[in-house]
Amino acid sequence: MRPDRNAELALLLEVAGTPKPGNVDRHRDLEDLRFEHFLAGAVGARDGLEMAADSAEVGPAFERAVEGMAEQDGGNTQFGALLLLVPLVRAARGGAGLTRSDAEAVVEGTTVADAAEFYRAFDHVDVFVGDPPADMEPLDVRRGSDAIPALEERGLTLYDVMDRSVPGDDVAREWVRGFERSFAAADRLADADGPILERAAAVFLSLLAERPDTLVAARHGEDVAVEVTDRAATLHERGALETDRPAVEAFADDLVDRGINPGTTADLTAAGLFIALERESVEI
């Protein structure tokens, strides 16, 4: 299957996996964001993913994917996932598998023009980000295309922008750490047993258990993010998905009720699904 189709499939599989504590899945909606919005977002992103598979540069492909994703009524469904998937699709276009070095070469080769397209993507959809430091206010991504002159004046590539977003954003961290956790997620998916949606839920819980979600930290504070990770770790360590599934379901419901959304962990799960599909290490 073409990389762009595997990426679309990864987005669909990610949202269909359940329970995925705090996130939309096929059994849970958020107040203003529903399962069908994610299905429509994945399909809408298709043109941008196809551009990446057909040799387009990362920036234009990402901007087009976000534009298409945003055509549904729910708003931001998969912005972070697409920021991971577009360079991975671009790296996989040779058809000879996908490695971390492939992905690193793609992101390290991005340009100022790619960064400008990244900023334009913020014109299509509201994305939650924290306030930047005072010296970075001209480059606040929430300004969208209005920030491009400051970006060009500083000569920052898209890789540079991601590098400046660490440690507060674990999607950006993947860019500068060679997609470390995305590839680890793919390995876990390959090693797990059972249907792919069960594996996706298990890998999501394992990722949430090992590191506080940066979106939760940005929205609710570091203490809440650590609390969520500690609870996930307790459930993961005792294999609760297999031995006490109601406990995981209750955790999922509690996070939804409290408006706590580990969205970055979901983004990493989608990236892991794509890598596993691209490597043909999982079957559907």
Side-chain angles (χ1 to χ4, degrees):
M1 190 182 295
R2 281 173 50 102
D4 50 311
R5 298 299 180 249
N6 274 335
E8 183 180 356
L9 179 57
L11 291 171
L12 296 170
L13 293 172
E14 186 282 316
V15 73
T18 186
K20 221 165 61 258
N23 287 269
V24 172
D25 60 32
R26 70 182 187 276
H27 293 162
R28 290 172 183 81
D29 293 327
L30 305 183
E31 184 175 355
D32 298 315
L33 196 57
R34 302 189 302 275
F35 180 63
E36 61 265 30
H37 291 140
F38 281 80
L39 301 182
V43 173
R46 178 182 297 167
D47 288 349
L49 294 169
E50 185 174 353
M51 286 173 62
D54 289 340
S55 304
E57 298 302 326
V58 169
F62 175 72
E63 188 274 337
R64 180 66 189 91
V66 170
E67 181 182 21
M69 176 211 76
E71 289 175 356
Q72 40 73 36
D73 293 334
N76 177 22
T77 50
Q78 292 123 330
F79 189 98
L82 291 171
L83 190 53
L84 295 173
L85 288 172
V86 166
L88 289 171
V89 169
R90 182 73 167 78
R93 65 186 176 86
L98 177 60
T99 67
R100 288 181 64 183
S101 61
D102 295 330
E104 287 172 332
V106 168
V107 296
E108 290 171 5
T110 57
T111 64
V112 176
D114 289 317
E117 295 298 325
F118 169 72
Y119 273 77
R120 288 190 181 97
F122 285 85
D123 293 341
H124 299 304
V125 66
D126 289 331
V127 180
F128 181 87
V129 295
D131 294 330
D135 64 330
M136 294 293 287
E137 284 182 3
L139 295 172
D140 188 344
V141 292
R142 293 171 295 187
R143 298 182 61 211
S145 55
D146 289 341
I148 292 175
L151 174 80
E152 293 175 336
E153 180 180 355
R154 300 193 188 193
L156 298 178
T157 69
L158 184 47
Y159 184 87
D160 294 333
V161 172
M162 294 298 107
D163 190 37
R164 283 161 173 75
S165 300
V166 179
D169 182 344
D170 270 5
V171 170
R173 183 176 184 269
E174 287 295 281
W175 270 58
V176 301
R177 296 285 187 91
F179 295 82
E180 176 183 24
R181 298 182 73 204
S182 299
F183 277 87
D187 291 339
R188 293 175 198 175
L189 285 160
D191 292 341
D193 297 320
I196 187 63
L197 295 183
E198 294 294 318
R199 298 190 200 189
V203 168
F204 174 90
L205 187 64
S206 76
L207 291 167
L208 187 59
E210 72 184 7
R211 184 176 171 86
D213 187 283
T214 49
L215 181 60
V216 174
R219 283 181 167 169
H220 303 280
E222 190 65 32
D223 288 347
V224 173
V226 170
E227 173 217 327
V228 169
T229 285
D230 288 346
R231 292 175 66 186
T234 298
L235 292 166
H236 177 62
E237 286 166 8
R238 62 185 176 91
L241 273 172
E242 293 78 28
T243 63
D244 189 8
R245 192 179 184 92
V248 186
E249 298 281 0
F251 178 41
D253 291 338
D254 177 57
L255 292 191
V256 169
D257 290 345
R258 294 167 62 191
I260 297 172
N261 167 222
T264 301
T265 306
D267 298 335
L268 293 167
T269 303
L273 281 160
F274 169 73
I275 295 165
L277 290 167
E278 193 63 25
R279 290 174 159 182
E280 299 181 349
S281 57
V282 296
E283 296 181 355
I284 299 176

